[in-house]
Amino acid sequence: MEALERRMDVALSGVAGPLDGFPTPNMVVAQLGNDANLYGAVQGAMKLISLA
């Protein structure tokens, strides 16, 4: 995470325009780990099914 945060600082250092000076996003490790995308996909599928 520390390396990613350092890279984010470098990436945002050249931002100009309306986002200039915007605070760096707070990044944290996903509580669901590598399965977070699967939970999101299931949740989206459940919404589609309930619309039918």
Side-chain angles (χ1 to χ4, degrees):
M1 281 305 272
E2 293 157 7
L4 181 59
E5 288 174 349
R6 285 193 302 270
R7 296 281 300 189
M8 183 66 93
D9 288 340
V10 171
L12 293 177
S13 67
V15 173
L19 296 179
D20 185 25
F22 209 74
T24 304
N26 182 26
M27 295 180 284
V28 295
V29 176
Q31 291 180 346
L32 299 174
N34 290 336
D35 292 338
N37 61 332
L38 298 176
Y39 284 98
V42 168
Q43 191 173 32
M46 288 173 63
K47 286 181 182 179
L48 288 175
I49 291 170
S50 67
L51 293 176

